[in-house]
Amino acid sequence: MTFDPPLSPALLPAGFVDLLPPDAEAEAEGTEILLAVFGGHGYERVAPPLLEFEDSLLSASGAAVADQAFRLMDPDTRRMMALRPDITPQIARIAATRLDGAPRPLRLSYAGQTVVVGGGVAGQSERQIGQAGIELIGPDSPVADAEVVCVAAEALSRLGVPGVSFDLTMPLLVPSLIDGLGLSAATRTALMHALDRKDAAAVARYAGSAADTLIALLNAAGEADRALAALDAASLPAAARAYSERLKASVDSVRVRSPELRLTVDPVEFRGWKYHTGVCVTVYAAGSREELGRGGRYLCNDNEPACGLTFRPGALFRAAPRRARPDRVYLPFGTDSAFAQAVREGGRVTVAALEPHDRLDEEARRLACSYIAQDGNLLPVV
């Protein structure tokens, strides 16, 4: 008979981690900076629950992420519940119910944790993923698209994230172009996979009369002006042309508001959450291989236009420069409380001794303090 060795108390399920000092503090402070920027533009904070009944959480736009949700049974009601894999569908529920009578445009912000069955973003293994974002509900216009992008850009600037770029796409454009080609289901699937892989040779093999157009658009991905020029020059059916014009109008609106913002466009990109219905955006930064956030246009509760963007704080704060931590001041046992309060109000952190110590410098160094409070002064630890 064999016995499994006891598990270490520090062992966590795959995809879950403990966030330790100073990372936990940096993420919390950075999230508050994001929310402060959002609030400054009129985005009011809401806080939906981590757990909801399955039939409400995973309905409407939430159905698109149902396969990523952990489920469990409520022992009281015997109804199935689910942990949220994404906060955006919850915001849609709140807007359509609790805030149905609130004036539009409705601007909401949020921050919280989500839990997914598998990694929520390609190449990432996390299953507990922080989110912080904004939703603009009511208007359906390029100006509204631009507001979401530019508010997000301001938040990144406030955090000091370097080399930010926003990649704009229109996921409905390629399907609308392909719909008129009369392709079999198998050929259509093969063509979509080829476009997803950016495989020009396979696109040429499967796209028939649209091959030249799709390859030209495939090769145009990158700087916004070049990509939009390729869209202008392309022979597109009416539906695809309408999507192309909306994408161009949104880019133009962003440039009016934030002319220095780096924008890229991928004309054939069609990935994203399944509930997206218009212009979508993915956020990147120089030196980071992760998506910092993503968002786009969708129908709130399946009937009201909305646009939003969700950051992933974990990835965001790995890309941002680490903020300087405040000096730590060691308070010997019995230090005057009013003086200690003044030190904290001056922006420093105090670490109070809970009993007398003879070697103050030694104790201060052990507790990572740079100063010692003595006789109403702060003395450097040497």
Side-chain angles (χ1 to χ4, degrees):
M1 181 178 295
T2 61
F3 295 93
D4 292 329
L7 294 178
S8 165
L11 182 64
L12 297 173
F16 296 87
V17 299
D18 292 316
L19 205 58
L20 303 178
D23 296 325
E25 182 177 358
E27 183 167 318
E29 290 180 350
T31 300
E32 288 304 315
I33 291 172
L34 292 177
L35 291 168
V37 173
F38 301 158
H41 287 273
Y43 287 81
E44 298 180 288
R45 187 170 180 176
V46 294
L50 181 64
L51 189 70
E52 290 192 33
F53 289 119
E54 176 187 39
D55 53 5
S56 61
L57 180 65
L58 303 179
S59 64
S61 57
V65 293
D67 60 350
Q68 285 291 305
F70 279 94
R71 295 168 169 84
L72 64 158
M73 180 176 286
D74 181 1
D76 292 331
T77 65
R78 312 301 293 174
R79 292 175 63 187
M80 290 303 294
M81 302 189 298
L83 291 168
R84 63 186 181 201
D86 181 31
I87 298 178
T88 297
Q90 294 184 293
I91 306 302
R93 172 186 59 76
I94 290 172
T97 55
R98 307 290 297 278
L99 297 177
D100 183 44
R104 268 49 175 173
L106 180 63
R107 292 175 170 89
L108 300 175
S109 66
Y110 57 87
Q113 296 294 313
T114 65
V115 180
V116 296
V117 172
V121 177
Q124 299 299 320
S125 60
E126 297 102 324
R127 290 198 286 173
Q128 179 176 325
I129 301 170
Q131 292 188 343
I134 53 175
E135 306 296 333
L136 177 54
I137 299 164
D140 182 1
S141 69
V143 174
D145 297 338
E147 176 173 302
V148 168
V149 169
C150 295
V151 169
E154 182 180 327
L156 294 177
S157 176
R158 188 76 61 85
L159 289 171
V161 178
V164 171
S165 67
F166 285 75
D167 185 47
L168 276 68
T169 62
M170 177 61 85
L172 302 180
L173 193 156
V174 163
S176 71
L177 193 159
I178 293 174
D179 285 343
L181 298 180
L183 302 178
S184 68
T187 302
R188 179 189 174 95
T189 298
L191 175 57
M192 297 296 274
H193 286 164
L195 289 166
D196 190 32
R197 298 192 308 270
K198 313 297 185 190
D199 184 344
V203 170
R205 186 160 60 249
Y206 296 119
S209 60
D212 290 344
T213 296
L214 286 172
I215 291 172
L217 297 182
L218 195 69
N219 292 331
E223 195 276 326
D225 285 341
R226 183 167 68 91
L228 293 175
L231 279 170
D232 283 343
S235 176
L236 300 177
R241 176 59 65 194
Y243 289 131
S244 169
E245 291 300 321
R246 176 56 185 271
L247 177 59
K248 182 177 185 298
S250 295
V251 169
D252 289 343
S253 293
V254 171
R255 284 182 163 158
V256 167
R257 184 161 174 165
S258 300
E260 301 304 318
L261 188 60
R262 183 172 187 268
L263 300 177
T264 61
V265 169
D266 189 339
V268 300
E269 178 61 70
F270 55 86
R271 290 177 297 171
W273 291 122
K274 297 175 185 177
Y275 54 69
H276 282 142
T277 61
V279 173
C280 289
V281 59
T282 306
V283 188
Y284 299 97
S288 174
R289 301 171 68 179
E290 302 177 85
E291 292 180 3
L292 305 187
R294 63 164 66 177
R297 183 155 290 285
Y298 63 99
L299 287 178
C300 179
N301 203 41
D302 287 340
N303 61 11
E304 185 174 21
C307 185
L309 191 146
T310 301
F311 286 122
R312 296 177 58 235
L316 183 58
F317 302 129
R318 284 190 286 270
R322 183 56 57 92
R323 300 173 68 84
R325 302 184 71 191
D327 292 328
R328 290 163 62 91
V329 178
Y330 178 69
L331 304 179
F333 188 73
T335 297
D336 178 69
S337 60
F339 176 73
Q341 179 65 29
V343 171
R344 287 189 292 273
E345 290 174 355
R348 292 183 169 92
V349 172
T350 61
V351 181
L354 302 179
E355 59 183 359
H357 289 278
D358 294 331
R359 305 290 298 273
L360 298 183
D361 280 11
E362 183 178 302
E363 186 66 6
R365 280 193 296 271
R366 188 180 72 83
L367 297 174
C369 294
S370 302
Y371 294 89
I372 300 172
Q374 278 191 315
D375 300 325
N377 295 303
L378 299 183
L379 305 181
V381 176
V382 294

